[in-house]
Amino acid sequence: MSKEITARSEDYSKWYNDLVLKGSLADYSAVRGCMVIKPYGYALWEGMRDVLDRKFKDTGHQNAYFPLFIPKSFLSKEAAHIEGFAKECAVVTHYRLKNDPETGGVIVDPEAKLEEELIVRPTSETIIWNTYKDWIQSYRDLPLLINQWANVVRWEMRTRLFLRTAEFLWQEGHTAHATAAEAIAETTQMLDIYADFAENYMAMPVIKGVKSPSERFAGAVDTYCIEALMQDGKALQAGTSHFLGQNFAKAFDVKFSNKENKLDYVWATSWGVSTRLVGALVMAHSDDDGLILPPRIAPLQVVIVPIYKGDEQKAKIDEKVLAIVAELKQAGVRVKYDDSDNQRPGWKFAEYEMKGVPVRIAIGARDLENNVAEVARRDTKVKTSLSLDGLTPQISALLEEIQQQMFDKALAYRDSHITPADTFEEFERLLDEKGGFISAHWDGTAETEEQIKDRTKATIRCIPLNNPQENGTCILTGKPSVQRVLFARAY
Amino acid sequence: MSKEITARSEDYSKWYNDLVLKGSLADYSAVRGCMVIKPYGYALWEGMRDVLDRKFKDTGHQNAYFPLFIPKSFLSKEAAHIEGFAKECAVVTHYRLKNDPETGGVIVDPEAKLEEELIVRPTSETIIWNTYKDWIQSYRDLPLLINQWANVVRWEMRTRLFLRTAEFLWQEGHTAHATAAEAIAETTQMLDIYADFAENYMAMPVIKGVKSPSERFAGAVDTYCIEALMQDGKALQAGTSHFLGQNFAKAFDVKFSNKENKLDYVWATSWGVSTRLVGALVMAHSDDDGLILPPRIAPLQVVIVPIYKGDEQKAKIDEKVLAIVAELKQAGVRVKYDDSDNQRPGWKFAEYEMKGVPVRIAIGARDLENNVAEVARRDTKVKTSLSLDGLTPQISALLEEIQQQMFDKALAYRDSHITPADTFEEFERLLDEKGGFISAHWDGTAETEEQIKDRTKATIRCIPLNNPQENGTCILTGKPSVQRVLFARAY
């Protein structure tokens, strides 16, 4: 291998960084906490965006774009919201630089101070609801179903490539409804879309649930989430969908006249997923040799590498492979023929293994004579010799098989890592020895949740939807409880 | 008309704002100089983006994403660059807010001051070339062909919806090459792509040219541009492509070892178009009744409005129209059947006229009996009765005809507004009475250019590519000149 990767067993965190950097997904930047998303990583995000965007539009949402900057006073209008975001926001205070006559350098022009500071959006509820005030008068203007693809900034102190960066890319849906029931239906619809995307495209099983009050989005009445499990046994929140009640409508005085011609505050939702999903994808499936990408999301699904000596062999292979490439493309397969002559086949094999391309096809002169090709799966590393006759349907079927088996494998791992604990000692032991989700009784108070977090670093990931009701006692306080909730250490 | 639009003849500027606001393209926001791009305007931008993105990828470019923030010291590294952007940039100085115990309000936390101020990117040459330093070592790493879709901020004092906003959306290509010749070829290739897009998608003829030194991008060796003409006779710069020489490579010390194994600085280009194109599109074609959008870019190409009395008529029309809609969609036509019953047909006609939908089809009960539909063009307002048999190919052909005729009309207007002037008096008179591009001799100095601008508000839009060489004398100074250049008042 030309690029050494730290083994998961040795240092999981370093393994992750190695994959992101050596897999050409992203790079550190000169700006604290901000990353550069490299072309391969961006292609992955574009693929995710395109699938999600189609799903949003199919459910009646339209894209729009709102300002990057939020006046400080807006952020302060919803009490819980400002409480949640004040501590980590980038503040624009000036609008001009000037030459410094003393040093000859460039300084901020003190005379170009803004009257009111602008916050670089950490999320857009406030600027959007200030706008919705002008757009919504009557029930006929509802529902208003809008999504935005944008960058946001949260000045996180401890950052990780993709998982937690000061600036990240995301989509944020912001919808307005005439009734609470409609808004709640929207919230769960979007949660279902996220879950469907995670499971059927990312091959990453998720648990749908609702957050405990302490873990709610700042300003939400209820936060729904999808929670995934990474290979190190830590959970990762992969998407959230918030029922905002009338909180933002009240903060920005957005009322509508209903069918009975009476004024009422509008009901709201917001929901989002971010470039964090790229990090989740990496950690859910990859191994010590590099990325493993599920076919439906992989920027490149199949790579074909010729193995030859001399121009004559190359010409024969070219002829055959170009026909195969055309046929695969025709069938909608994202395929590349890497016949560049500046690297040897072994180097290419390692490179595409690192990049997680699901299927690698190698064709040599003898293969051509035998009318076969060597087909290698990235996920299982199994190699098969396949006939060149009818290769395209075989490859298409193989891609679907890989997709399904990647999901099945992740699901089996996840399901074997949801463990009940009935005492605090068992809870601690399971967290340390096994990881994953621990299903335990909790007395329902924020104090107990906080104490458990302080003592174990585990948080309540969610209360699963349709959670079985079961009487029990809180693992920490022994107080009565009516249901188990899922705890885990999390990213 | 339910929505009054100011006539162009009365107040062109107000007409433009009316179209943008009442055509639902954009709205003013609470943040000075920043706009909200509404769903219809954003769909227009998405359509443009998708076409351009395909063209970029077809010419070997890949998308990536670089940080929103640029350290102040980076911006200062290229002398002309900082000179050009220092006066209009948003500066982040702090990273936290806190509660103010005195007032109970929220203030910027003075203890959370950044060590070095961050500039919200006005363009990304500096942060990108700082990154390229790590990515480029050898000629094998070149060319590096990268594009970014992003938001940028320039703190403009006088803003106009889409045409000049503090924040805008754009794409910025940043490429690195081994030789000057390759970089120049890239610069002109991208200019050609922009011109092709403007003419064949936006139906907006453009003149390709090079800027005079005073109008160059800050940091460029040469700035190429496409210049369009609006209906009020003012020019609009619709896209630029810069040959940056080795300026940024030198500023950020980006060297590569060439095939002879010698170190040399890398050659650069950058190129961009922005949401300004939406404004250009509006002004190039629309009339006093609303937007007129060219079919290839229109978010909606065809709208079908049923005209009926009672449910029975409606059901019959529905049945026929749903089949037509399916067939049109099959043929790739973006079509909507507006059978909503909360507005009358006349209101709908006005609404789609306002929104510039290229073709409106109305079908009533009698039309159905006669197996025809009334087909109205938005651009010419000509109505025709077309047979429902073979309607789809007729509509497809009509859309292509509209596209071509919109371009031809704009081209005829543009060509009749390129006028030579041989004296300064004639130059001034033409600018005031006719507008458009004035083709005149200029002595080649920045001083003369500046004086002409001060006296007439006209600037040199470009020196057209392949400009005929012709001896003459400068209209202002009488000094010798070897070619005419194009002047105009401009957006």
Side-chain angles (χ1 to χ4, degrees):
Chain A
M1 284 288 303
S2 58
K3 296 178 177 177
E4 283 298 326
I5 300 173
T6 306
R8 281 165 292 184
S9 56
E10 190 184 319
D11 185 339
Y12 190 84
S13 174
K14 198 158 182 303
W15 165 80
Y16 172 77
N17 283 343
D18 281 353
L19 286 200
V20 171
L21 296 170
K22 295 174 183 172
S24 295
L25 297 179
D27 228 342
Y28 294 109
S29 85
V31 184
R32 206 198 66 85
C34 294
M35 67 176 168
V36 173
I37 305 180
K38 298 182 80 169
Y40 195 56
Y42 197 83
L44 207 45
W45 174 242
E46 274 183 319
M48 292 178 171
R49 185 195 66 187
D50 289 349
V51 173
L52 287 167
D53 196 67
R54 178 45 47 215
K55 287 177 186 284
F56 298 158
K57 285 174 177 160
D58 285 347
T59 43
H61 301 86
Q62 294 180 295
N63 289 331
Y65 188 78
F66 294 83
L68 170 68
F69 298 129
I70 297 179
K72 194 189 69 183
S73 57
F74 281 26
L75 212 58
S76 315
K77 283 199 181 179
E78 213 286 330
H81 197 67
I82 181 72
E83 184 65 27
F85 289 106
K87 293 188 195 81
E88 48 177 42
C89 57
V91 188
V92 176
T93 55
H94 292 75
Y95 58 85
R96 199 193 302 145
L97 299 174
K98 69 165 199 171
N99 290 315
D100 181 10
E102 287 183 33
T103 64
V106 173
I107 57 167
V108 176
D109 186 343
E111 290 178 19
K113 194 168 188 300
L114 291 172
E115 276 185 44
E116 180 181 4
E117 297 90 346
L118 297 172
I119 311 304
V120 180
R121 63 180 162 221
T123 180
S124 301
E125 278 76 7
T126 57
I127 187 83
I128 287 181
W129 277 86
N130 184 67
T131 308
Y132 281 1
K133 185 178 166 60
D134 295 333
W135 293 1
I136 300 170
Q137 273 84 42
S138 139
Y139 69 90
R140 288 188 204 85
D141 301 321
L142 300 173
L144 186 58
L145 306 174
I146 289 185
N147 175 62
Q148 161 170 286
W149 292 94
N151 53 345
V152 286
V153 171
R154 297 177 187 178
W155 208 263
E156 304 275 0
M157 280 300 135
R158 297 176 63 177
T159 60
R160 293 286 305 274
L161 292 163
F162 286 113
L163 299 174
R164 198 174 289 277
T165 48
E167 182 192 12
F168 56 92
L169 303 184
W170 80 344
Q171 61 69 217
E172 46 182 325
H174 295 273
T175 69
H177 305 265
T179 66
E182 273 182 41
I184 292 170
E186 166 80 8
T187 312
T188 54
Q189 171 186 259
M190 300 322 291
L191 190 75
D192 287 344
I193 285 178
Y194 289 155
D196 172 68
F197 174 73
E199 301 200 329
N200 293 316
Y201 288 84
M202 295 174 64
M204 184 174 79
V206 292
I207 293 168
K208 293 190 277 190
V210 65
K211 287 285 181 191
S212 64
S214 328
E215 297 277 335
R216 254 179 221 147
F217 175 74
V221 172
D222 259 324
T223 287
Y224 295 79
C225 61
I226 52 170
E227 295 283 328
L229 193 63
M230 304 294 102
Q231 293 179 62
D232 61 346
K234 283 172 83 173
L236 184 144
Q237 173 182 298
T240 49
S241 183
H242 315 293
F243 170 55
L244 303 174
Q246 296 173 313
N247 292 350
F248 286 91
K250 285 179 180 166
F252 289 90
D253 195 30
V254 187
K255 291 178 188 165
F256 74 108
S257 62
N258 63 22
K259 284 189 180 169
E260 290 76 42
N261 213 21
K262 286 187 181 156
L263 278 181
D264 191 11
Y265 286 110
V266 176
W267 298 86
T269 85
S270 69
W271 29 275
V273 298
S274 74
T275 35
R276 166 167 247 236
L277 285 182
V278 176
L281 189 71
V282 169
M283 288 206 298
H285 303 297
S286 305
D287 67 17
D288 292 350
D289 294 322
L291 299 171
I292 299 180
L293 301 180
R296 289 200 195 143
I297 282 297
L300 190 62
Q301 296 173 311
V302 175
V303 63
I304 306 180
V305 177
I307 297 167
Y308 59 92
K309 285 191 184 122
D311 291 347
E312 198 182 330
Q313 283 192 1
K314 171 74 163 51
K316 281 185 189 162
I317 294 172
D318 279 356
E319 190 190 345
K320 189 71 193 177
V321 170
L322 291 178
I324 293 170
V325 165
E327 209 181 297
L328 284 169
K329 283 191 174 166
Q330 185 69 28
V333 176
R334 297 185 287 276
V335 56
K336 175 180 167 179
Y337 180 36
D338 185 354
D339 68 338
S340 59
D341 59 2
N342 51 3
Q343 298 293 356
R344 299 179 56 83
W347 188 94
K348 293 179 188 176
F349 287 9
E351 178 68 10
Y352 294 109
E353 185 172 73
M354 167 70 81
K355 289 196 161 173
V357 178
V359 170
R360 181 191 77 216
I361 301 177
I363 300 188
R366 179 164 310 169
D367 294 320
L368 215 55
E369 280 170 25
N370 297 332
N371 198 42
V372 295
E374 184 199 80
V375 176
R377 283 173 65 153
R378 172 63 185 90
D379 61 332
T380 58
K381 303 210 169 185
V382 170
K383 292 179 197 166
T384 329
S385 183
L386 290 184
S387 167
L388 295 182
D389 298 331
L391 187 64
T392 296
Q394 293 184 85
I395 295 295
S396 294
L398 180 60
L399 290 170
E400 280 304 298
E401 187 183 326
I402 293 171
Q403 181 79 31
Q404 186 61 47
Q405 291 183 1
M406 283 180 68
F407 177 76
D408 293 344
K409 184 181 173 193
L411 182 66
Y413 172 79
R414 197 278 308 271
D415 283 349
S416 68
H417 284 78
I418 304 177
T419 320
D422 291 318
T423 66
F424 193 71
E425 292 62 41
E426 196 181 2
F427 181 85
E428 283 186 301
R429 184 181 56 74
L430 281 166
L431 275 176
D432 287 339
E433 290 176 9
K434 186 178 179 189
F437 294 106
I438 317 292
S439 177
H441 281 282
W442 157 61
D443 64 18
T445 70
E447 294 70 33
T448 300
E449 196 179 357
E450 185 69 24
Q451 277 191 45
I452 293 176
K453 186 178 174 184
D454 286 347
R455 288 174 64 172
T456 65
K457 289 185 182 157
T459 50
I460 298 178
R461 299 319 302 157
C462 70
I463 302 154
L465 298 188
N466 308 316
N467 203 26
Q469 298 299 289
E470 173 198 296
N471 287 319
T473 55
C474 175
I475 49 162
L476 189 73
T477 63
K479 289 184 186 161
S481 151
V482 295
Q483 62 181 351
R484 290 173 183 272
V485 300
L486 293 182
F487 286 86
R489 289 178 182 145
Y491 281 95
Chain B
M1 284 288 301
S2 57
K3 295 178 177 176
E4 283 297 326
I5 301 173
T6 308
R8 282 165 292 185
S9 57
E10 191 185 317
D11 185 338
Y12 189 85
S13 174
K14 198 157 181 307
W15 165 79
Y16 172 76
N17 283 343
D18 281 352
L19 286 199
V20 170
L21 295 171
K22 295 174 184 175
S24 295
L25 297 178
D27 229 341
Y28 294 109
S29 85
V31 185
R32 206 198 66 84
C34 293
M35 65 177 169
V36 173
I37 306 180
K38 297 182 79 170
Y40 195 56
Y42 197 83
L44 207 46
W45 175 242
E46 274 184 320
M48 293 178 171
R49 184 196 66 185
D50 289 349
V51 173
L52 286 166
D53 196 67
R54 177 46 44 217
K55 287 178 187 283
F56 299 158
K57 285 174 177 159
D58 285 348
T59 43
H61 301 86
Q62 294 180 296
N63 289 331
Y65 188 79
F66 295 83
L68 170 68
F69 298 129
I70 298 179
K72 194 188 69 181
S73 58
F74 281 26
L75 211 59
S76 315
K77 282 199 180 178
E78 212 286 331
H81 197 66
I82 181 71
E83 185 65 26
F85 289 104
K87 293 187 194 80
E88 47 177 43
C89 56
V91 188
V92 176
T93 55
H94 292 74
Y95 58 85
R96 199 193 303 144
L97 298 175
K98 67 166 198 170
N99 291 314
D100 182 11
E102 287 184 33
T103 64
V106 173
I107 58 169
V108 176
D109 186 344
E111 289 178 19
K113 193 169 189 299
L114 291 171
E115 275 186 45
E116 179 180 6
E117 297 90 347
L118 296 173
I119 312 304
V120 180
R121 64 182 160 219
T123 181
S124 302
E125 277 77 6
T126 56
I127 187 84
I128 287 180
W129 277 86
N130 183 68
T131 308
Y132 282 2
K133 184 177 167 59
D134 295 332
W135 293 0
I136 301 170
Q137 273 85 41
S138 136
Y139 69 92
R140 288 187 204 85
D141 301 319
L142 299 174
L144 187 57
L145 305 173
I146 288 186
N147 176 61
Q148 161 170 285
W149 292 94
N151 54 344
V152 287
V153 171
R154 297 176 187 178
W155 208 263
E156 303 276 359
M157 281 300 135
R158 299 177 62 176
T159 59
R160 295 285 306 274
L161 292 163
F162 286 114
L163 299 173
R164 197 173 290 276
T165 45
E167 181 192 11
F168 55 92
L169 303 183
W170 79 344
Q171 60 70 215
E172 47 182 324
H174 294 275
T175 70
H177 305 265
T179 66
E182 271 182 42
I184 292 170
E186 166 80 7
T187 312
T188 55
Q189 170 186 262
M190 300 323 291
L191 190 74
D192 288 343
I193 283 177
Y194 289 155
D196 173 68
F197 174 72
E199 301 201 329
N200 293 317
Y201 289 84
M202 296 175 64
M204 183 175 79
V206 292
I207 294 168
K208 292 189 278 190
V210 65
K211 288 285 182 191
S212 63
S214 328
E215 299 277 335
R216 252 179 222 148
F217 174 75
V221 172
D222 258 325
T223 287
Y224 294 79
C225 60
I226 51 170
E227 294 283 329
L229 193 62
M230 303 295 102
Q231 292 180 62
D232 61 346
K234 283 171 82 173
L236 184 144
Q237 174 181 300
T240 49
S241 184
H242 315 293
F243 170 56
L244 302 174
Q246 295 172 314
N247 292 349
F248 287 91
K250 285 178 180 166
F252 290 89
D253 194 31
V254 187
K255 291 179 187 166
F256 73 107
S257 62
N258 63 21
K259 284 189 180 170
E260 289 76 42
N261 213 17
K262 287 188 178 153
L263 277 182
D264 191 9
Y265 286 109
V266 176
W267 297 85
T269 86
S270 68
W271 30 275
V273 297
S274 74
T275 35
R276 166 165 246 237
L277 285 182
V278 177
L281 189 71
V282 169
M283 289 207 295
H285 303 298
S286 306
D287 66 18
D288 292 350
D289 295 321
L291 300 171
I292 299 181
L293 302 180
R296 287 196 196 147
I297 281 297
L300 190 61
Q301 296 173 311
V302 175
V303 64
I304 306 180
V305 177
I307 298 169
Y308 60 92
K309 285 191 184 118
D311 290 348
E312 199 183 327
Q313 282 193 3
K314 171 75 162 52
K316 280 186 188 160
I317 295 171
D318 279 358
E319 189 190 346
K320 188 71 191 177
V321 170
L322 292 178
I324 293 171
V325 165
E327 209 183 298
L328 284 169
K329 283 192 175 166
Q330 186 67 30
V333 176
R334 294 185 288 276
V335 58
K336 174 181 168 179
Y337 179 36
D338 185 353
D339 68 338
S340 59
D341 58 3
N342 51 2
Q343 297 293 356
R344 299 179 55 82
W347 188 94
K348 293 179 186 174
F349 287 9
E351 178 68 12
Y352 293 110
E353 186 173 74
M354 167 70 82
K355 289 197 161 172
V357 178
V359 170
R360 180 192 76 217
I361 301 178
I363 300 189
R366 180 165 308 169
D367 294 322
L368 216 54
E369 281 169 25
N370 297 330
N371 199 40
V372 295
E374 185 199 79
V375 176
R377 283 173 65 153
R378 173 62 186 91
D379 61 334
T380 58
K381 302 212 169 185
V382 170
K383 292 179 196 164
T384 328
S385 182
L386 289 184
S387 167
L388 295 183
D389 298 331
L391 188 64
T392 297
Q394 292 184 85
I395 295 295
S396 294
L398 180 61
L399 290 170
E400 279 303 299
E401 189 183 324
I402 293 171
Q403 180 79 30
Q404 186 62 47
Q405 291 183 0
M406 283 182 66
F407 176 76
D408 291 345
K409 185 182 172 191
L411 182 64
Y413 172 81
R414 197 277 308 273
D415 284 349
S416 68
H417 284 79
I418 304 177
T419 320
D422 291 319
T423 66
F424 193 70
E425 291 65 38
E426 196 182 1
F427 182 85
E428 285 186 300
R429 184 180 59 74
L430 281 167
L431 275 176
D432 288 338
E433 291 176 9
K434 187 178 177 187
F437 294 107
I438 317 290
S439 176
H441 281 282
W442 158 61
D443 65 18
T445 69
E447 294 71 31
T448 300
E449 195 178 358
E450 185 70 22
Q451 276 192 44
I452 293 175
K453 185 177 173 184
D454 286 346
R455 289 174 62 173
T456 66
K457 291 185 181 154
T459 50
I460 298 177
R461 301 318 303 159
C462 71
I463 302 153
L465 299 188
N466 306 316
N467 203 26
Q469 298 299 291
E470 173 198 295
N471 287 320
T473 55
C474 175
I475 48 161
L476 188 76
T477 63
K479 288 182 185 162
S481 151
V482 295
Q483 63 182 349
R484 291 172 183 272
V485 300
L486 293 182
F487 287 87
R489 290 177 183 147
Y491 282 95

